Amino acid sequence: RWMRQGLTSGTQGDRVAAMTLLVQESPPHSLRTLDSLLSMAALPGRREAQMAIDALRDLFINNLLPADRKLRTFAESAAATEEHPSDAALALAAYEDELKQRYAGFVRTLEAQLYSTLPYFKGVVLKVATELLTERPEQEAALLTLICNKLGDPERKVASKTSFLLHELLERHPAMKAVVLEETWRFLRRSNLPLKAQYYAVVFLNQIALRRGGADAAV
């Protein structure tokens, strides 16, 4: 009853909470509800978008994404190669394919929201992107690129926060140092990169302690 009221007549926060619970209860049967949250996350209204983004972060990390592997497309699933897959296996493979597409769309939404004119909101989105990258391997390359790109944000606080979040990422995942360095160098090699962006990228690189003789020292 509470969820029905939250969806139909509650506040925006009630609606987000109700949709989150519905997805948590049965993810394969709640893709339309997940779509509603994804649409809300893309809204230009910052309050509504932030509530949806926070809810989606928790859902993807705690309920939807595997911790130890990337999602598979239908073509990559075991069901696609079996001669006589069961209906359950086909349904699960189709669901995972749909979820993979939706998560990729969410990452694109985060990238678009990082063009906001509000530094605080950009900081919120950056933190969510970093948490997703830290906790789950899905869309790793896309998330790392959009985070590193904000080293060139015209707002000093946003560029500084980007550097801080990248350091936090490396503290949690030291093995990612090489890919982070590579992405930062790729960012620096862009043509017509503003001097301020070059400054923040170089400062970030200088703060990384390279292990002598390590694989990342050759990047």
Side-chain angles (χ1 to χ4, degrees), residues 39 45 55 85 108 120 136 148-149 192 203:
S39 296
R108 289 192 294 271
Y120 169 77
R136 295 294 181 265
C148 286
N149 283 347
N192 302 318
V203 168

Side-chain angles (χ1 to χ4, degrees), residues 18-203:
M19 288 191 289
T20 301
L21 284 173
L22 283 173
V23 175
Q24 288 173 335
E25 285 184 353
S26 182
H29 302 99
S30 304
L31 288 176
R32 289 182 64 183
T33 303
L34 183 62
D35 287 341
S36 295
L37 283 170
L38 290 167
S39 296
M40 190 182 297
L43 290 173
R46 304 306 175 219
R47 183 173 178 274
E48 294 83 355
Q50 183 176 338
M51 284 192 294
I53 287 170
D54 287 339
L56 286 163
R57 171 201 57 205
D58 293 341
L59 281 171
F60 280 119
I61 291 175
N62 298 316
N63 304 103
L64 301 177
L65 296 178
D68 57 350
R69 66 173 177 86
K70 296 183 179 182
L71 293 167
R72 301 184 182 96
T73 65
F74 187 85
E76 295 168 336
S77 69
T81 59
E82 293 176 2
E83 187 174 354
H84 301 292
S86 66
D87 290 345
L90 288 169
L92 183 60
Y95 161 71
E96 187 163 327
D97 185 280
E98 292 284 344
L99 185 60
K100 187 177 184 72
Q101 295 178 50
R102 283 163 171 79
Y103 186 64
F106 180 51
V107 172
R108 289 192 294 271
T109 292
L110 294 178
E111 183 178 19
Q113 293 287 30
L114 283 171
Y115 286 97
S116 166
T117 57
L118 301 176
Y120 169 77
F121 183 66
K122 285 192 283 190
V124 169
V125 177
L126 261 176
K127 191 170 189 303
V128 169
T130 307
E131 288 172 348
L132 292 168
L133 177 58
T134 301
E135 298 295 338
R136 295 294 181 265
E138 184 69 21
Q139 289 290 313
E140 179 182 279
L143 284 165
L144 180 58
T145 296
L146 72 86
I147 294 166
C148 286
N149 283 347
K150 299 315 286 181
L151 287 168
D153 194 273
E155 293 285 346
R156 180 184 62 82
K157 289 183 178 180
V158 176
S160 180
K161 186 178 184 70
T162 300
S163 178
F164 172 78
L165 290 171
L166 285 170
H167 281 295
E168 279 197 336
L169 171 67
L170 291 178
E171 285 181 10
R172 288 281 305 276
H173 296 289
M176 291 188 68
K177 188 182 291 185
V179 295
V180 172
L181 285 171
E182 184 178 352
E183 186 60 41
T184 307
W185 278 114
R186 186 179 296 117
F187 171 78
L188 270 171
R189 288 195 293 267
R190 291 181 182 176
S191 59
N192 302 318
L193 191 67
L195 284 175
K196 187 184 292 185
Q198 296 178 41
Y199 168 78
Y200 279 105
V202 170
V203 168

